[in-house]
């Protein structure tokens, strides 16, 4: 047995007591800080409740004072009757509210209310331990143990202060008695163990998982910090990907050089394998990742290219050898024109009727492509201050106008392409590549209304390359108009050759409405225009009535529309036409000059504002006079014939179609003009026969168009375009090579802005403008090359 000296035992006992004292002093200090913080919070809550109570009491006193003052009869008369003073009804209403406020005041000022608030917000301690009792017990027990051990000569060890109590069965009676004296510590240990069990990490995590509050917080965080499904910033193709595309597209050429397809595939695979993981991360959504999990590098590269093109606004519509024109069982016809309603011109009205009656047969799908003008140009072109803020609004106007005249709902699509108005030529010039605005799925048959006009400055894909069959319809005698301008003969010489050029390069067939137009390559003369069905109805109605008015002329008031010829005839034959009066209807740029010229010559002409030819005020006229020699085929003349009137026309190739009608009177000299006027004034028009009415109708015009454009053969002959092949070019001939060379040269010339301006193009029409992009929802022109561009 080892004995220790008393001084050593006393030192150890003192040290243990000091250690215990410090430990419980620390615990006591922590609990004291918690208690002080809690008491401060409770005091703050009490202060706020008291301030709220005082505020409410103050409000109650002010309210009582207000009611007391309101009940007095001291209000002066002006104050009671003024709009800002309380009325007796308002005072009664406030008196009714007084009991409610008093009851509310008693409720929140009661002691129970304050007690309930404090009970609700005060912290609820589950472990309540008197630390001072624990401290005294521990110190006394330590001193007792030290005295006993000193008496026995034993040394105090650390395990004497362990949390594990020693029961009676674990040692002698003294040890059992010692363990029973540690009950406060045992109680503290039990409490802490229970708290530890309840606060275990697994239970906390499980509780959080099952907590509805936590789930709501998680959902809110996900909504705020939503991780994007995939990067919207699609990176352009890098050098390796571009090289892989080039190798894959050059496989036929490399095969001729002895490089087998397997080797080419290995090259493509080696170039793309390093990029495979990056393609998955940066180009596609999570849902599409499974697409690229295969081992086909070609499919991965195709999808990569498609994603880059789509990021620029380009939509892939199939390769050049896909027969997309017959996917829905119908052939597709795209009609492209140079004007649109509400501009009442032939190139706006006639293509609209053609689209309606081609779609009426339901044998083919039809798309009408018309120009969209910005608001500034609309104000210059459209009459009666009509403007549109969107293409959809203009489309509604066009369809309503058409339905009112044809009497049926025409099932065809209307699309818009950018255009700019040229004041000098009084016409609309396409801006950008017009062929781009017809998708590949609709690129089967194209009808170009005024093909020379559409292609003068066309800088884009060749029409005959994109479409299987291209038909041009010539509306205007441009050479006749140009000859009337300054240096007209020289300009007409160049325009004549340019028209031949673009006609050969961009059309498979050209239809000329009359022989008055320029003789173009691949052309044939045929009238493929009809009249509005409404005019035929007017003619049937007027056949049973008599005409009560004399002669009139209707047309846009510009010199080239026949006004020069009309004034010359009336001036030369003024004496022979004694008493003859004519009413002229029209608006135009030359209206003021025309009226001044007629007034100087003292002609018997009554000028009136332009109006629709179907207007009721024009039905009673018996004679329509049209001396114009610049028209190709005057629509107003056909409409006058349909209404059963006499038409007096110049003996000119533009009027060849009308000569077969008995009510058409033609003249060659001014003297014959006078004779025809007298003949018409002294007789009545012949009623139209059913055959004549049919020849003037759009049904007959559509039938003639199908026949002379050879469109009926193409639509009915399935061998013309076999499934899977768009247009065979395997055996090019000399003519097609020349036409291709002309198209390429034209493309190069129209790509130069300086040359375009020298030939009269509107500045900035090679590409559409920013306003066009905004109005039509287009991507900028720079996106035409999505891989190498922006």
């Amino acid at each position: 047995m080892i004995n220790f000296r008393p001084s050593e035992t006393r030192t150890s006992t003192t040290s243990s007591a000091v250690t215990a004292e410090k430990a419980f002093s620390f615990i006591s200090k922590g609990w004291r800080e918690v208690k002080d913080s809690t008491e401060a919070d409770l005091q703050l809550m009490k202060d706020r409740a008291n301030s709220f109570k005082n505020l409410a009491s103050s409000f109650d006193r002010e309210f009582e004072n207000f009611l007391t003052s309101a009940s007095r009869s001291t209000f002066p008369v002006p104050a009671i009757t003024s709009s800002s003073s309380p009325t007796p009804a308002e005072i009664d209403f406030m008196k009714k509210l007084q009991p409610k406020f008093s009851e509310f005041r008693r409720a929140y000022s009661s002691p129970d209310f304050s007690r309930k608030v404090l009970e609700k917000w005060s912290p609820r301690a589950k472990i309540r331990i008197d630390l001072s009792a624990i401290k005294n017990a521990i110190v006394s027990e330590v001193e007792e143990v030290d005295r006993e051990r000193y008496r026995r000569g034993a040394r105090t060890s650390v395990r004497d202060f362990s949390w594990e109590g020693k029961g009676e069965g674990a040692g002698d009676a003294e040890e059992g008695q010692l363990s029973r004296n540690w009950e406060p510590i045992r109680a503290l240990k039990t409490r802490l163990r229970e708290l530890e069990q309840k606060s275990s990490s697994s239970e906390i995590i499980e509780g959080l998982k099952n907590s509805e509050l936590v789930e709501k917080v998680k959902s809110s965080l996900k909504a705020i910090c939503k991780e994007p499904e995939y990067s919207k910033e699609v990176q352009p193709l890098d050098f390796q990907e571009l090289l892989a595309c080039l190798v894959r597209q050059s496989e036929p050429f490399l095969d001729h050089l002895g490089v087998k397809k397997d080797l080419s595939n290995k090259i493509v695979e080696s170039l793309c394998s390093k990029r495979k993981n990056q393609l998955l991360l940066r180009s596609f959504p999570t849902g599409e990742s499974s697409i690229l999990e295969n081992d086909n590098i070609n499919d991965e590269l195709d999808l990569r290219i498609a994603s880059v093109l789509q990021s620029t606004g380009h939509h892939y519509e199939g390769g050049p050898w896909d027969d997309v024109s017959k996917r829905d069982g119908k052939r597709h016809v795209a009609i492209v024109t140079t004007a649109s309603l509400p501009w009442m011109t032939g190139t706006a009205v006639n293509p609209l009727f053609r689209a309606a009656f081609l779609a009426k047969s339901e044998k083919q799908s039809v798309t009408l492509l018309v120009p969209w003008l910005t608001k500034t140009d609309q104000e210059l072109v459209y009459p009666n201050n009509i403007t549109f803020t969107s293409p959809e609004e203009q489309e509604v106007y066009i369809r309503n106008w058409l339905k009112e005249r044809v009497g049926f709902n025409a099932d065809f699509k209307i699309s818009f392409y950018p255009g700019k108005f040229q004041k000098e030529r009084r016409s609309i010039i396409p801006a950008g590549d017009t062929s781009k605005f017809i998708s590949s799925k609709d690129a089967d048959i194209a009808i170009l209304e005024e093909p020379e006009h559409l292609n003068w400055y066309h800088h884009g894909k060749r029409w005959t390359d994109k479409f299987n069959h291209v038909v041009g319809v010539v509306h205007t005698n441009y050479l006749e108009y140009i000859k009337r301008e300054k240096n007209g003969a020289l300009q007409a010489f160049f325009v004549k050759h340019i028209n031949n050029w673009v006609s050969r390069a961009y059309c498979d067939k050209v239809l000329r409405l009359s022989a008055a137009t320029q003789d173009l390559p691949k052309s044939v003369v045929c009238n493929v225009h009809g009249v509005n069905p409404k005019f035929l109805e007017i003619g049937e109605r007027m056949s049973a009535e008599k005409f009560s008015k004399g002669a009139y002329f209707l047309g846009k008031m510009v010199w080239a529309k026949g006004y020069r010829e009309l004034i010359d005839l009336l001036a030369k034959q003024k004496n022979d036409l004694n008493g003859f009066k004519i009413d002229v209807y029209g608006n135009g740029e030359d209206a003021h000059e025309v009226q001044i010229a007629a007034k100087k010559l003292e002609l018997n002409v009554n000028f009136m504002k332009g109006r629709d030819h179907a207007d009721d005020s024009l039905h009673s006229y018996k004679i329509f006079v049209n001396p114009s020699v610049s028209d190709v085929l005057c629509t107003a003349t056909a409409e006058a014939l349909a209404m059963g009137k006499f038409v007096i026309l110049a003996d000119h190739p533009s009027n060849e179609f009308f000569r077969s009608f008995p009510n058409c009177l033609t003249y060659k000299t001014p003297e014959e003009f006078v004779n025809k006027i007298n003949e018409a004034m002294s007789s009545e028009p012949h009623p139209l026969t059913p055959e004549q009415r049919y020849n003037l109708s759009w049904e007959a015009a559509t039938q003639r168009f199908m026949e002379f454009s050879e469109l009926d053969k193409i639509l009915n002959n399935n061998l013309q375009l076999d499934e899977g092949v768009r247009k065979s070019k395997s055996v090019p001939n000399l003519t097609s090579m020349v036409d291709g060379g002309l198209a390429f040269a034209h493309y190069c010339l129209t790509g130069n802005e300086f040359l375009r301006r020298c030939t009269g193009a509107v500045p900035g029409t090679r590409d559409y403008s920013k306003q066009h992009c905004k109005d039509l929802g287009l991507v900028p022109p720079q996106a035409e090359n999505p891989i190498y561009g922006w």
Side-chain angles (χ1 to χ4, degrees):
M1 182 177 179
I2 302 175
N3 294 323
F4 294 92
R5 289 177 296 180
S7 59
E8 294 178 356
T9 304
R10 191 179 304 112
T11 302
S12 175
T13 303
T14 303
S15 176
S16 300
V18 172
T19 303
E21 178 73 18
K22 289 183 179 180
F24 282 97
S25 176
F26 178 77
I27 297 175
S28 176
K29 182 179 178 182
W31 278 100
R32 192 180 306 111
E33 290 177 355
V34 173
K35 180 181 177 182
D36 294 342
S37 177
T38 304
E39 290 177 353
D41 293 340
L42 291 176
Q43 185 63 35
L44 180 60
M45 294 176 63
K46 289 179 181 180
D47 295 340
R48 290 182 178 177
N50 291 332
S51 63
F52 176 71
K53 178 179 177 181
N54 297 333
L55 181 62
S57 300
S58 176
F59 171 77
D60 190 48
R61 289 194 300 272
E62 293 293 336
F63 183 68
E64 289 178 354
N65 295 334
F66 172 74
L67 292 179
T68 302
S69 61
S71 63
R72 298 173 184 173
S73 58
T74 60
F75 287 105
V77 174
I80 295 176
T81 58
S82 64
S83 59
S84 61
S85 301
T87 62
E90 294 173 347
I91 295 173
D92 294 339
F93 174 74
M94 299 300 293
K95 285 181 178 181
K96 292 178 182 180
L97 289 180
Q98 184 179 12
K100 300 293 184 180
F101 279 104
S102 299
E103 182 180 352
F104 175 71
R105 179 171 58 83
R106 287 194 300 271
Y108 66 67
S109 62
S110 63
D112 294 338
F113 179 81
S114 301
R115 181 177 55 81
K116 291 179 180 180
V117 171
L118 294 177
E119 287 180 357
K120 182 175 181 62
W121 292 99
S122 60
R124 300 176 181 178
K126 295 183 179 180
I127 302 176
R128 299 176 181 176
I129 303 174
D130 189 355
L131 295 179
S132 61
I134 296 174
K135 171 185 174 183
N136 297 331
I138 293 175
V139 172
S140 62
E141 289 295 333
V142 169
E143 292 176 352
E144 183 69 23
V145 170
D146 288 342
R147 285 195 298 270
E148 181 66 23
R149 287 188 176 274
Y150 175 75
R151 184 181 60 82
R152 294 169 49 190
R155 178 171 177 169
T156 304
S157 62
V158 177
R159 66 171 177 241
D160 294 329
F161 296 94
S162 67
W163 291 106
E164 296 295 334
K166 297 174 180 155
E168 295 179 357
D172 56 1
E174 292 180 355
E175 292 292 331
Q177 181 66 27
L178 178 62
S179 65
R180 285 195 299 271
N181 294 333
W182 282 77
E183 287 301 327
I185 301 302
R186 187 185 302 278
L188 177 60
K189 174 186 173 182
T190 304
R191 287 286 187 174
L192 293 177
R193 184 177 298 168
E194 292 177 357
L195 180 62
E196 182 181 3
Q197 292 176 354
K198 292 182 179 180
S199 303
S200 61
S201 60
S202 60
E203 293 180 357
I204 292 175
I205 295 174
E206 187 66 26
L208 290 177
K209 288 182 179 179
N210 299 329
S211 175
E212 183 179 358
L213 177 62
V214 174
E215 292 297 328
K216 291 183 179 180
V217 173
K218 288 169 61 178
S219 61
S220 301
L221 291 176
K222 286 182 179 179
I224 297 173
C225 305
K226 185 176 181 181
E227 186 175 347
E229 294 181 355
Y230 65 99
S231 176
K232 295 183 179 179
E233 289 290 338
V234 180
Q235 298 296 328
L237 297 178
D238 57 16
F239 176 76
Q240 292 180 352
E241 291 167 336
L242 291 174
L243 186 59
C245 293
L246 178 62
V247 172
R248 192 179 61 175
Q249 294 175 2
S250 304
E251 285 181 358
F253 175 73
L254 295 175
D255 185 62
H256 285 291
L257 298 179
V259 180
K260 300 300 182 183
K261 185 176 181 180
D262 295 339
L263 181 58
S264 300
N265 290 337
K266 289 181 179 179
I267 296 175
V268 173
E269 183 177 358
S270 63
L271 291 172
C272 296
S273 59
K274 298 180 181 179
R275 311 287 295 174
K276 183 174 181 179
N277 294 332
Q278 298 180 10
L279 298 181
L280 289 170
L281 295 176
R282 73 181 184 183
S283 301
F284 301 98
T286 305
E288 296 181 5
S289 60
S290 59
I291 300 176
L292 297 180
E293 290 177 358
N294 54 48
D295 295 331
N296 195 333
I297 296 297
N298 289 325
D299 291 344
E300 296 174 8
L301 187 59
D302 289 338
L303 290 174
R304 169 73 174 131
I305 296 172
S307 69
V308 174
L309 294 178
Q310 188 176 7
S311 68
T312 63
H314 175 80
H315 298 281
Y316 181 72
E317 297 171 338
W321 300 105
D322 295 335
D323 186 16
V324 295
S325 60
K326 298 172 67 176
R327 287 178 181 173
D328 56 358
K330 291 184 179 181
R331 303 298 293 273
H332 295 263
V333 178
I335 302 175
V336 188
T337 186
T338 57
S340 175
L341 295 178
W343 191 13
M344 298 300 297
T345 184
T347 51
V349 175
N350 291 312
L352 180 61
F353 281 116
R354 193 185 325 282
F357 283 89
L358 278 176
K360 186 179 180 180
S361 64
E362 298 182 355
K363 293 181 180 180
Q364 56 274 327
S365 299
V366 179
T367 299
L368 177 64
L369 194 63
V370 297
W372 167 260
L373 300 178
T374 59
K375 191 172 183 179
T376 54
D377 285 343
Q378 292 181 32
E379 294 172 351
L380 298 175
V381 178
Y382 298 152
N384 303 322
N385 297 322
I386 299 176
T387 57
F388 306 98
T389 58
S390 66
E392 292 77 15
E393 184 180 351
Q394 185 171 1
E395 180 178 352
V396 171
Y397 178 92
I398 294 172
R399 292 191 183 277
N400 291 338
W401 185 93
L402 179 64
K403 184 179 180 180
E404 182 182 350
R405 284 152 181 79
V406 300
F408 61 88
N409 290 320
D411 185 16
F412 64 93
K413 179 182 177 182
I414 297 179
S415 299
F416 292 84
Y417 68 87
K420 293 195 70 175
F421 180 68
Q422 189 177 30
K423 295 180 181 179
E424 294 77 10
R425 296 184 179 178
R426 295 166 184 164
S427 58
I428 298 174
I429 302 298
D433 181 9
T434 309
S435 65
K436 283 175 37 180
F437 298 91
I438 304 173
S439 61
S440 295
K441 67 179 181 180
D442 296 331
D444 183 16
I445 299 168
I447 301 173
L448 306 183
E449 309 280 351
E450 292 194 323
E452 62 272 62
H453 185 162
L454 284 170
N455 292 308
W456 279 335
Y457 305 107
H458 176 71
H459 181 71
K461 192 169 185 178
R462 186 182 177 188
W463 295 95
T464 51
D465 288 342
K466 184 169 185 176
F467 291 84
N468 297 312
H469 189 66
V470 181
V471 180
V473 181
V474 178
H475 289 249
T476 308
N477 189 356
Y478 288 106
L479 299 182
E480 183 65 27
Y481 285 111
I482 293 174
K483 289 177 182 178
R484 298 170 183 258
E485 298 178 359
K486 185 180 180 180
N487 300 322
L490 181 61
Q491 294 185 52
F493 173 80
F494 287 109
V495 171
K496 179 180 179 179
H497 288 82
I498 292 174
N499 290 345
N500 287 329
W501 188 352
V502 298
S503 175
R504 291 195 58 174
Y506 295 113
C507 295
D508 295 315
K509 195 76 175 180
V510 178
L511 301 181
R512 299 158 55 202
L513 297 179
S514 70
T517 58
Q518 177 183 345
D519 187 10
L520 297 172
K522 310 175 187 178
S523 66
V524 60
V525 176
C526 178
N527 175 24
V528 292
H529 286 178
V531 297
N532 187 337
K534 194 172 184 178
F535 292 100
L536 294 173
E537 296 174 1
I538 296 172
E540 290 183 3
R541 186 173 68 252
M542 294 301 298
S543 62
E545 302 177 7
K546 288 188 176 181
F547 297 99
S548 58
K549 297 181 181 180
Y552 76 105
F553 175 55
L554 180 143
K556 185 178 180 181
M557 200 168 289
V558 293
W559 288 114
K561 282 292 185 180
Y563 285 91
R564 175 65 65 189
E565 292 82 356
L566 178 63
I567 290 179
D568 289 345
L569 283 172
L570 296 178
K572 289 179 181 179
Q573 305 300 322
K574 184 176 181 180
N575 296 330
D576 297 333
L577 293 173
N578 188 21
F580 175 74
K581 180 181 178 181
I582 184 170
D583 296 334
V584 176
Y585 296 86
N587 300 321
E589 295 83 355
D590 299 333
H592 183 66
E593 296 179 7
V594 172
Q595 295 177 21
I596 290 178
K599 187 176 181 179
K600 285 183 178 180
L601 296 173
E602 298 181 351
L603 302 179
N604 197 3
V605 179
N606 184 25
F607 290 98
M608 304 177 121
K609 291 184 178 181
R611 62 190 65 181
D612 195 314
H613 204 176
D615 191 271
D616 294 340
S617 62
L618 303 178
H619 294 176
S620 300
Y621 285 99
K622 184 171 65 172
I623 304 171
F624 176 79
V625 179
N626 184 10
S628 174
V629 293
S630 61
D631 284 328
V632 174
L633 185 80
C634 183
T635 303
T637 300
E639 293 169 348
L641 280 174
M643 289 190 286
K645 306 177 186 297
F646 279 120
V647 293
I648 299 178
L649 311 174
D651 188 2
H652 189 264
S654 61
N655 299 318
E656 185 67 29
F657 175 78
F658 304 123
R659 288 182 179 178
S660 60
F661 294 87
N663 291 333
C664 178
L665 307 176
T666 60
Y667 64 91
K668 293 183 179 179
T669 62
E671 291 76 14
E672 286 186 4
F673 174 74
V674 175
N675 295 335
K676 298 301 179 181
I677 290 290
N678 294 331
E679 180 183 347
M681 294 291 291
S682 61
S683 60
E684 293 295 326
H686 300 278
L688 294 177
T689 64
E691 181 181 359
Q692 291 169 350
R693 284 198 294 270
Y694 176 76
N695 289 336
L696 289 171
S697 68
W698 266 104
E699 287 82 1
T702 303
Q703 183 62 34
R704 293 192 296 267
F705 176 82
M706 299 289 288
E707 178 182 355
F708 282 85
S709 66
E710 301 179 353
L711 204 59
D712 54 348
K713 297 180 181 179
I714 294 176
L715 294 177
N716 297 327
N717 187 4
N718 292 330
L719 297 179
Q720 178 71 17
L721 289 173
D722 296 333
E723 190 71 26
V725 180
R726 288 187 58 82
K727 181 183 283 189
S728 177
K729 299 182 180 179
S730 57
V731 187
N733 52 35
L734 182 60
T735 302
S736 62
M737 293 177 63
V738 172
D739 295 345
L742 292 174
F744 178 75
H746 183 263
Y747 178 84
C748 296
L749 293 175
T750 55
N752 186 282
E753 185 66 21
F754 175 76
L755 294 177
R756 291 171 66 91
R757 294 192 180 188
C758 290
T759 54
V762 179
T765 54
R766 193 186 72 172
D767 296 314
Y768 40 84
S769 64
K770 292 182 179 179
Q771 187 62 40
H772 283 126
C773 295
K774 182 178 179 181
D775 294 343
L776 298 175
L778 305 174
V779 295
Q782 292 84 355
E784 291 181 3
N785 299 317
I787 296 178
Y788 304 99
W790 67 283

